[in-house]
Amino acid sequence: LSALTGAGWVKLGQRPAAALQSSSADAQPSTDSADYQAIVAHLLALRDRAFSTARLAPLNDVYPNGSAGWQVDAAALQVLRSQHLHTRGFIERIDGLTVEDSAPASADLAVTTTIPAYVVVNAAGHVVARRTGRTQSFDVVLQHAADRWLVQELRPTDS
């Protein structure tokens, strides 16, 4: 959830269940813990796609445009793009997720993730940098608007 040099988000194999979007007939999004895990996994997969393709567009479905999280990731992507680089193996796995507080259109979550080692490659596919794996914890505020969830706020924790 933090800058490329500090962390990454994950690509998990499947698109999460119906918790990702609510229809207009269902005005209140689901607040089940498993649904929040699916939502966060989906957001991580979008962020991973941004870094593996060095494209900004997926970030617009992770953060509100121009938010602090968007700006940090966009700056890291700009560095990659300016050097014609992207990541390979940039995957973040959810180790734990606790719902601290929730309302119909927002949720405060405590999330712990693991990022395995990954590499940064150039346009020719040659490895130019190796990053070590790590575990990290965040307080995440999700906001539901316009039939989707976004990361409104993100704070690293000391855990």
Side-chain angles (χ1 to χ4, degrees), residues 45-86:
L46 291 169
R47 186 170 183 267
D48 174 62
R49 186 178 314 141
F51 283 99
S52 66
T53 62
R55 298 187 65 215
L56 290 170
L59 294 182
N60 295 328
D61 291 323
V62 176
Y63 307 104
N65 193 11
S67 69
W70 188 94
Q71 289 177 7
V72 167
D73 280 354
L77 280 169
Q78 188 56 37
V79 169
L80 287 175
R81 292 166 59 105
S82 70
Q83 298 174 26
H84 306 287
L85 303 173
H86 63 276

mmCIF file of all heavy atoms in Angstrom, residues 45-86:
data_model
loop_
_atom_site.group_PDB
_atom_site.id
_atom_site.type_symbol
_atom_site.label_atom_id
_atom_site.label_comp_id
_atom_site.label_asym_id
_atom_site.label_seq_id
_atom_site.Cartn_x
_atom_site.Cartn_y
_atom_site.Cartn_z
ATOM 1 N N ALA A 45 -5.026 -6.323 -6.073
ATOM 2 C CA ALA A 45 -4.798 -6.836 -7.426
ATOM 3 C C ALA A 45 -4.738 -5.698 -8.439
ATOM 4 O O ALA A 45 -3.919 -5.719 -9.358
ATOM 5 C CB ALA A 45 -5.891 -7.836 -7.797
ATOM 6 N N LEU A 46 -5.581 -4.698 -8.270
ATOM 7 C CA LEU A 46 -5.549 -3.542 -9.168
ATOM 8 C C LEU A 46 -4.237 -2.782 -9.018
ATOM 9 O O LEU A 46 -3.625 -2.356 -10.004
ATOM 10 C CB LEU A 46 -6.729 -2.605 -8.882
ATOM 11 C CG LEU A 46 -8.100 -3.145 -9.262
ATOM 12 C CD1 LEU A 46 -9.191 -2.257 -8.679
ATOM 13 C CD2 LEU A 46 -8.226 -3.251 -10.774
ATOM 14 N N ARG A 47 -3.802 -2.609 -7.791
ATOM 15 C CA ARG A 47 -2.543 -1.901 -7.544
ATOM 16 C C ARG A 47 -1.367 -2.681 -8.113
ATOM 17 O O ARG A 47 -0.472 -2.121 -8.734
ATOM 18 C CB ARG A 47 -2.365 -1.667 -6.053
ATOM 19 C CG ARG A 47 -1.169 -0.811 -5.730
ATOM 20 C CD ARG A 47 -1.204 -0.413 -4.267
ATOM 21 N NE ARG A 47 -0.089 0.458 -3.988
ATOM 22 C CZ ARG A 47 1.085 0.023 -3.542
ATOM 23 N NH1 ARG A 47 1.288 -1.257 -3.325
ATOM 24 N NH2 ARG A 47 2.053 0.882 -3.307
ATOM 25 N N ASP A 48 -1.381 -3.987 -7.928
ATOM 26 C CA ASP A 48 -0.345 -4.831 -8.508
ATOM 27 C C ASP A 48 -0.298 -4.660 -10.023
ATOM 28 O O ASP A 48 0.772 -4.555 -10.602
ATOM 29 C CB ASP A 48 -0.600 -6.293 -8.150
ATOM 30 C CG ASP A 48 0.363 -7.211 -8.860
ATOM 31 O OD1 ASP A 48 1.573 -7.089 -8.624
ATOM 32 O OD2 ASP A 48 -0.104 -8.030 -9.676
ATOM 33 N N ARG A 49 -1.464 -4.610 -10.647
ATOM 34 C CA ARG A 49 -1.518 -4.425 -12.100
ATOM 35 C C ARG A 49 -0.871 -3.100 -12.497
ATOM 36 O O ARG A 49 -0.164 -3.023 -13.503
ATOM 37 C CB ARG A 49 -2.964 -4.468 -12.593
ATOM 38 C CG ARG A 49 -3.036 -4.416 -14.116
ATOM 39 C CD ARG A 49 -4.451 -4.495 -14.655
ATOM 40 N NE ARG A 49 -5.223 -5.550 -14.022
ATOM 41 C CZ ARG A 49 -6.499 -5.424 -13.692
ATOM 42 N NH1 ARG A 49 -7.159 -4.316 -13.930
ATOM 43 N NH2 ARG A 49 -7.145 -6.423 -13.124
ATOM 44 N N ALA A 50 -1.084 -2.066 -11.706
ATOM 45 C CA ALA A 50 -0.474 -0.762 -12.009
ATOM 46 C C ALA A 50 1.052 -0.883 -12.047
ATOM 47 O O ALA A 50 1.700 -0.385 -12.970
ATOM 48 C CB ALA A 50 -0.903 0.285 -10.981
ATOM 49 N N PHE A 51 1.632 -1.564 -11.057
ATOM 50 C CA PHE A 51 3.086 -1.661 -10.999
ATOM 51 C C PHE A 51 3.654 -2.680 -11.989
ATOM 52 O O PHE A 51 4.747 -2.488 -12.505
ATOM 53 C CB PHE A 51 3.548 -1.955 -9.575
ATOM 54 C CG PHE A 51 3.491 -0.728 -8.716
ATOM 55 C CD1 PHE A 51 2.436 -0.508 -7.856
ATOM 56 C CD2 PHE A 51 4.482 0.232 -8.804
ATOM 57 C CE1 PHE A 51 2.366 0.646 -7.087
ATOM 58 C CE2 PHE A 51 4.424 1.394 -8.040
ATOM 59 C CZ PHE A 51 3.361 1.601 -7.184
ATOM 60 N N SER A 52 2.914 -3.740 -12.279
ATOM 61 C CA SER A 52 3.442 -4.719 -13.237
ATOM 62 C C SER A 52 3.349 -4.218 -14.677
ATOM 63 O O SER A 52 4.070 -4.708 -15.541
ATOM 64 C CB SER A 52 2.734 -6.064 -13.090
ATOM 65 O OG SER A 52 1.376 -5.959 -13.453
ATOM 66 N N THR A 53 2.491 -3.236 -14.920
ATOM 67 C CA THR A 53 2.380 -2.656 -16.271
ATOM 68 C C THR A 53 2.936 -1.242 -16.347
ATOM 69 O O THR A 53 3.015 -0.672 -17.437
ATOM 70 C CB THR A 53 0.908 -2.604 -16.720
ATOM 71 O OG1 THR A 53 0.171 -1.763 -15.830
ATOM 72 C CG2 THR A 53 0.298 -3.994 -16.770
ATOM 73 N N ALA A 54 3.296 -0.664 -15.190
ATOM 74 C CA ALA A 54 3.764 0.725 -15.096
ATOM 75 C C ALA A 54 2.716 1.693 -15.665
ATOM 76 O O ALA A 54 3.053 2.683 -16.294
ATOM 77 C CB ALA A 54 5.120 0.912 -15.771
ATOM 78 N N ARG A 55 1.436 1.410 -15.391
ATOM 79 C CA ARG A 55 0.348 2.272 -15.860
ATOM 80 C C ARG A 55 -0.396 2.860 -14.668
ATOM 81 O O ARG A 55 -0.662 2.169 -13.685
ATOM 82 C CB ARG A 55 -0.624 1.469 -16.722
ATOM 83 C CG ARG A 55 0.075 0.923 -17.985
ATOM 84 C CD ARG A 55 -0.878 0.273 -18.925
ATOM 85 N NE ARG A 55 -1.805 1.292 -19.427
ATOM 86 C CZ ARG A 55 -3.072 1.057 -19.695
ATOM 87 N NH1 ARG A 55 -3.568 -0.141 -19.533
ATOM 88 N NH2 ARG A 55 -3.848 2.014 -20.140
ATOM 89 N N LEU A 56 -0.769 4.127 -14.777
ATOM 90 C CA LEU A 56 -1.484 4.819 -13.714
ATOM 91 C C LEU A 56 -2.963 4.456 -13.638
ATOM 92 O O LEU A 56 -3.561 4.516 -12.569
ATOM 93 C CB LEU A 56 -1.380 6.337 -13.913
ATOM 94 C CG LEU A 56 -0.022 6.964 -13.670
ATOM 95 C CD1 LEU A 56 -0.028 8.417 -14.133
ATOM 96 C CD2 LEU A 56 0.349 6.874 -12.205
ATOM 97 N N ALA A 57 -3.571 4.088 -14.737
ATOM 98 C CA ALA A 57 -5.021 3.893 -14.799
ATOM 99 C C ALA A 57 -5.581 2.985 -13.702
ATOM 100 O O ALA A 57 -6.607 3.328 -13.102
ATOM 101 C CB ALA A 57 -5.428 3.394 -16.186
ATOM 102 N N PRO A 58 -4.966 1.848 -13.382
ATOM 103 C CA PRO A 58 -5.547 1.005 -12.328
ATOM 104 C C PRO A 58 -5.632 1.695 -10.964
ATOM 105 O O PRO A 58 -6.499 1.359 -10.160
ATOM 106 C CB PRO A 58 -4.606 -0.207 -12.271
ATOM 107 C CG PRO A 58 -4.013 -0.272 -13.636
ATOM 108 C CD PRO A 58 -3.853 1.173 -14.052
ATOM 109 N N LEU A 59 -4.772 2.672 -10.713
ATOM 110 C CA LEU A 59 -4.812 3.373 -9.420
ATOM 111 C C LEU A 59 -6.109 4.141 -9.225
ATOM 112 O O LEU A 59 -6.537 4.369 -8.090
ATOM 113 C CB LEU A 59 -3.632 4.335 -9.287
ATOM 114 C CG LEU A 59 -2.248 3.708 -9.219
ATOM 115 C CD1 LEU A 59 -1.199 4.802 -9.041
ATOM 116 C CD2 LEU A 59 -2.163 2.676 -8.112
ATOM 117 N N ASN A 60 -6.763 4.539 -10.320
ATOM 118 C CA ASN A 60 -8.022 5.274 -10.223
ATOM 119 C C ASN A 60 -9.142 4.414 -9.661
ATOM 120 O O ASN A 60 -10.165 4.950 -9.237
ATOM 121 C CB ASN A 60 -8.414 5.842 -11.587
ATOM 122 C CG ASN A 60 -7.427 6.878 -12.054
ATOM 123 O OD1 ASN A 60 -6.828 7.600 -11.256
ATOM 124 N ND2 ASN A 60 -7.218 6.947 -13.355
ATOM 125 N N ASP A 61 -8.952 3.095 -9.647
ATOM 126 C CA ASP A 61 -9.931 2.188 -9.053
ATOM 127 C C ASP A 61 -9.491 1.684 -7.686
ATOM 128 O O ASP A 61 -10.117 0.801 -7.115
ATOM 129 C CB ASP A 61 -10.192 1.008 -9.998
ATOM 130 C CG ASP A 61 -10.923 1.439 -11.254
ATOM 131 O OD1 ASP A 61 -11.805 2.321 -11.158
ATOM 132 O OD2 ASP A 61 -10.614 0.900 -12.326
ATOM 133 N N VAL A 62 -8.393 2.246 -7.174
ATOM 134 C CA VAL A 62 -7.899 1.893 -5.846
ATOM 135 C C VAL A 62 -8.095 3.055 -4.877
ATOM 136 O O VAL A 62 -8.555 2.870 -3.753
ATOM 137 C CB VAL A 62 -6.405 1.503 -5.891
ATOM 138 C CG1 VAL A 62 -5.861 1.218 -4.488
ATOM 139 C CG2 VAL A 62 -6.186 0.309 -6.811
ATOM 140 N N TYR A 63 -7.731 4.253 -5.318
ATOM 141 C CA TYR A 63 -7.774 5.457 -4.484
ATOM 142 C C TYR A 63 -8.625 6.536 -5.150
ATOM 143 O O TYR A 63 -8.710 6.582 -6.377
ATOM 144 C CB TYR A 63 -6.377 6.077 -4.346
ATOM 145 C CG TYR A 63 -5.292 5.166 -3.872
ATOM 146 C CD1 TYR A 63 -4.347 4.656 -4.768
ATOM 147 C CD2 TYR A 63 -5.156 4.844 -2.536
ATOM 148 C CE1 TYR A 63 -3.307 3.842 -4.341
ATOM 149 C CE2 TYR A 63 -4.118 4.035 -2.102
ATOM 150 C CZ TYR A 63 -3.204 3.542 -3.008
ATOM 151 O OH TYR A 63 -2.174 2.750 -2.582
ATOM 152 N N PRO A 64 -9.159 7.472 -4.346
ATOM 153 C CA PRO A 64 -9.743 8.667 -4.972
ATOM 154 C C PRO A 64 -8.628 9.412 -5.713
ATOM 155 O O PRO A 64 -7.505 9.523 -5.205
ATOM 156 C CB PRO A 64 -10.254 9.490 -3.789
ATOM 157 C CG PRO A 64 -10.403 8.513 -2.666
ATOM 158 C CD PRO A 64 -9.334 7.473 -2.896
ATOM 159 N N ASN A 65 -8.902 9.885 -6.894
ATOM 160 C CA ASN A 65 -7.902 10.590 -7.703
ATOM 161 C C ASN A 65 -7.324 11.768 -6.930
ATOM 162 O O ASN A 65 -8.061 12.571 -6.373
ATOM 163 C CB ASN A 65 -8.524 11.066 -9.015
ATOM 164 C CG ASN A 65 -7.472 11.509 -10.005
ATOM 165 O OD1 ASN A 65 -6.284 11.290 -9.818
ATOM 166 N ND2 ASN A 65 -7.916 12.138 -11.063
ATOM 167 N N GLY A 66 -6.013 11.840 -6.865
ATOM 168 C CA GLY A 66 -5.338 12.937 -6.191
ATOM 169 C C GLY A 66 -5.166 12.749 -4.698
ATOM 170 O O GLY A 66 -4.536 13.575 -4.041
ATOM 171 N N SER A 67 -5.692 11.649 -4.129
ATOM 172 C CA SER A 67 -5.537 11.417 -2.687
ATOM 173 C C SER A 67 -4.072 11.138 -2.362
ATOM 174 O O SER A 67 -3.254 10.900 -3.246
ATOM 175 C CB SER A 67 -6.413 10.245 -2.247
ATOM 176 O OG SER A 67 -5.914 9.040 -2.787
ATOM 177 N N ALA A 68 -3.746 11.143 -1.079
ATOM 178 C CA ALA A 68 -2.360 10.930 -0.658
ATOM 179 C C ALA A 68 -1.831 9.578 -1.155
ATOM 180 O O ALA A 68 -0.717 9.495 -1.672
ATOM 181 C CB ALA A 68 -2.249 11.022 0.857
ATOM 182 N N GLY A 69 -2.609 8.514 -1.025
ATOM 183 C CA GLY A 69 -2.176 7.199 -1.494
ATOM 184 C C GLY A 69 -1.966 7.189 -3.004
ATOM 185 O O GLY A 69 -0.987 6.628 -3.497
ATOM 186 N N TRP A 70 -2.882 7.813 -3.732
ATOM 187 C CA TRP A 70 -2.756 7.900 -5.184
ATOM 188 C C TRP A 70 -1.483 8.649 -5.556
ATOM 189 O O TRP A 70 -0.742 8.221 -6.440
ATOM 190 C CB TRP A 70 -3.985 8.588 -5.779
ATOM 191 C CG TRP A 70 -4.036 8.563 -7.265
ATOM 192 C CD1 TRP A 70 -4.667 7.644 -8.051
ATOM 193 C CD2 TRP A 70 -3.424 9.500 -8.169
ATOM 194 N NE1 TRP A 70 -4.486 7.948 -9.371
ATOM 195 C CE2 TRP A 70 -3.731 9.080 -9.480
ATOM 196 C CE3 TRP A 70 -2.659 10.635 -8.000
ATOM 197 C CZ2 TRP A 70 -3.284 9.765 -10.603
ATOM 198 C CZ3 TRP A 70 -2.214 11.317 -9.122
ATOM 199 C CH2 TRP A 70 -2.533 10.881 -10.406
ATOM 200 N N GLN A 71 -1.206 9.753 -4.874
ATOM 201 C CA GLN A 71 -0.023 10.551 -5.179
ATOM 202 C C GLN A 71 1.270 9.784 -4.923
ATOM 203 O O GLN A 71 2.214 9.855 -5.731
ATOM 204 C CB GLN A 71 -0.036 11.856 -4.383
ATOM 205 C CG GLN A 71 -1.095 12.815 -4.870
ATOM 206 C CD GLN A 71 -1.151 14.089 -4.034
ATOM 207 O OE1 GLN A 71 -0.321 14.319 -3.163
ATOM 208 N NE2 GLN A 71 -2.145 14.922 -4.314
ATOM 209 N N VAL A 72 1.339 9.042 -3.831
ATOM 210 C CA VAL A 72 2.543 8.265 -3.511
ATOM 211 C C VAL A 72 2.771 7.204 -4.581
ATOM 212 O O VAL A 72 3.885 7.060 -5.110
ATOM 213 C CB VAL A 72 2.431 7.631 -2.109
ATOM 214 C CG1 VAL A 72 3.511 6.579 -1.889
ATOM 215 C CG2 VAL A 72 2.506 8.703 -1.033
ATOM 216 N N ASP A 73 1.724 6.449 -4.909
ATOM 217 C CA ASP A 73 1.885 5.404 -5.921
ATOM 218 C C ASP A 73 2.145 5.990 -7.302
ATOM 219 O O ASP A 73 2.955 5.452 -8.066
ATOM 220 C CB ASP A 73 0.645 4.510 -5.968
ATOM 221 C CG ASP A 73 0.637 3.476 -4.857
ATOM 222 O OD1 ASP A 73 1.627 3.370 -4.110
ATOM 223 O OD2 ASP A 73 -0.373 2.753 -4.750
ATOM 224 N N ALA A 74 1.483 7.084 -7.645
ATOM 225 C CA ALA A 74 1.702 7.720 -8.951
ATOM 226 C C ALA A 74 3.141 8.207 -9.076
ATOM 227 O O ALA A 74 3.757 8.077 -10.139
ATOM 228 C CB ALA A 74 0.720 8.868 -9.155
ATOM 229 N N ALA A 75 3.702 8.742 -8.001
ATOM 230 C CA ALA A 75 5.100 9.201 -8.039
ATOM 231 C C ALA A 75 6.048 8.019 -8.247
ATOM 232 O O ALA A 75 6.989 8.096 -9.034
ATOM 233 C CB ALA A 75 5.444 9.950 -6.751
ATOM 234 N N ALA A 76 5.796 6.898 -7.550
ATOM 235 C CA ALA A 76 6.634 5.711 -7.726
ATOM 236 C C ALA A 76 6.500 5.174 -9.150
ATOM 237 O O ALA A 76 7.498 4.797 -9.777
ATOM 238 C CB ALA A 76 6.247 4.639 -6.712
ATOM 239 N N LEU A 77 5.292 5.183 -9.683
ATOM 240 C CA LEU A 77 5.088 4.729 -11.060
ATOM 241 C C LEU A 77 5.763 5.655 -12.064
ATOM 242 O O LEU A 77 6.297 5.200 -13.070
ATOM 243 C CB LEU A 77 3.596 4.614 -11.374
ATOM 244 C CG LEU A 77 2.934 3.345 -10.865
ATOM 245 C CD1 LEU A 77 1.417 3.448 -10.995
ATOM 246 C CD2 LEU A 77 3.458 2.129 -11.594
ATOM 247 N N GLN A 78 5.749 6.937 -11.785
ATOM 248 C CA GLN A 78 6.398 7.884 -12.691
ATOM 249 C C GLN A 78 7.907 7.619 -12.770
ATOM 250 O O GLN A 78 8.504 7.705 -13.837
ATOM 251 C CB GLN A 78 6.128 9.333 -12.274
ATOM 252 C CG GLN A 78 6.598 10.347 -13.273
ATOM 253 C CD GLN A 78 6.004 10.118 -14.663
ATOM 254 O OE1 GLN A 78 4.863 9.734 -14.824
ATOM 255 N NE2 GLN A 78 6.811 10.341 -15.695
ATOM 256 N N VAL A 79 8.514 7.269 -11.639
ATOM 257 C CA VAL A 79 9.933 6.917 -11.633
ATOM 258 C C VAL A 79 10.157 5.682 -12.509
ATOM 259 O O VAL A 79 11.058 5.660 -13.348
ATOM 260 C CB VAL A 79 10.443 6.674 -10.189
ATOM 261 C CG1 VAL A 79 11.836 6.057 -10.200
ATOM 262 C CG2 VAL A 79 10.436 7.975 -9.408
ATOM 263 N N LEU A 80 9.324 4.672 -12.335
ATOM 264 C CA LEU A 80 9.446 3.471 -13.162
ATOM 265 C C LEU A 80 9.258 3.803 -14.638
ATOM 266 O O LEU A 80 10.057 3.390 -15.490
ATOM 267 C CB LEU A 80 8.408 2.426 -12.752
ATOM 268 C CG LEU A 80 8.629 1.703 -11.434
ATOM 269 C CD1 LEU A 80 7.441 0.801 -11.118
ATOM 270 C CD2 LEU A 80 9.911 0.903 -11.461
ATOM 271 N N ARG A 81 8.211 4.558 -14.938
ATOM 272 C CA ARG A 81 7.901 4.895 -16.327
ATOM 273 C C ARG A 81 9.026 5.696 -16.973
ATOM 274 O O ARG A 81 9.364 5.473 -18.133
ATOM 275 C CB ARG A 81 6.591 5.667 -16.398
ATOM 276 C CG ARG A 81 5.379 4.836 -16.044
ATOM 277 C CD ARG A 81 4.150 5.701 -15.803
ATOM 278 N NE ARG A 81 3.815 6.495 -16.963
ATOM 279 C CZ ARG A 81 2.812 6.242 -17.782
ATOM 280 N NH1 ARG A 81 2.043 5.203 -17.562
ATOM 281 N NH2 ARG A 81 2.571 7.023 -18.805
ATOM 282 N N SER A 82 9.599 6.635 -16.236
ATOM 283 C CA SER A 82 10.651 7.483 -16.800
ATOM 284 C C SER A 82 11.899 6.675 -17.165
ATOM 285 O O SER A 82 12.686 7.088 -18.005
ATOM 286 C CB SER A 82 11.013 8.611 -15.833
ATOM 287 O OG SER A 82 11.690 8.096 -14.703
ATOM 288 N N GLN A 83 12.054 5.511 -16.520
ATOM 289 C CA GLN A 83 13.206 4.653 -16.796
ATOM 290 C C GLN A 83 12.821 3.397 -17.585
ATOM 291 O O GLN A 83 13.620 2.472 -17.718
ATOM 292 C CB GLN A 83 13.875 4.277 -15.472
ATOM 293 C CG GLN A 83 14.403 5.492 -14.730
ATOM 294 C CD GLN A 83 14.937 5.132 -13.359
ATOM 295 O OE1 GLN A 83 15.370 4.008 -13.110
ATOM 296 N NE2 GLN A 83 14.917 6.083 -12.458
ATOM 297 N N HIS A 84 11.573 3.356 -18.067
ATOM 298 C CA HIS A 84 11.058 2.227 -18.853
ATOM 299 C C HIS A 84 11.177 0.910 -18.079
ATOM 300 O O HIS A 84 11.627 -0.101 -18.609
ATOM 301 C CB HIS A 84 11.750 2.135 -20.211
ATOM 302 C CG HIS A 84 11.679 3.415 -20.972
ATOM 303 N ND1 HIS A 84 10.517 3.866 -21.557
ATOM 304 C CD2 HIS A 84 12.605 4.371 -21.211
ATOM 305 C CE1 HIS A 84 10.733 5.025 -22.137
ATOM 306 N NE2 HIS A 84 11.997 5.365 -21.933
ATOM 307 N N LEU A 85 10.747 0.941 -16.818
ATOM 308 C CA LEU A 85 10.812 -0.215 -15.935
ATOM 309 C C LEU A 85 9.420 -0.631 -15.485
ATOM 310 O O LEU A 85 8.484 0.160 -15.542
ATOM 311 C CB LEU A 85 11.651 0.103 -14.696
ATOM 312 C CG LEU A 85 13.078 0.583 -14.920
ATOM 313 C CD1 LEU A 85 13.704 1.019 -13.599
ATOM 314 C CD2 LEU A 85 13.904 -0.504 -15.585
ATOM 315 N N HIS A 86 9.306 -1.853 -15.000
ATOM 316 C CA HIS A 86 8.101 -2.332 -14.339
ATOM 317 C C HIS A 86 8.506 -3.470 -13.405
ATOM 318 O O HIS A 86 9.655 -3.892 -13.400
ATOM 319 C CB HIS A 86 7.023 -2.773 -15.342
ATOM 320 C CG HIS A 86 7.419 -3.929 -16.195
ATOM 321 N ND1 HIS A 86 8.153 -3.792 -17.352
ATOM 322 C CD2 HIS A 86 7.200 -5.249 -16.049
ATOM 323 C CE1 HIS A 86 8.356 -4.973 -17.888
ATOM 324 N NE2 HIS A 86 7.798 -5.879 -17.119
#
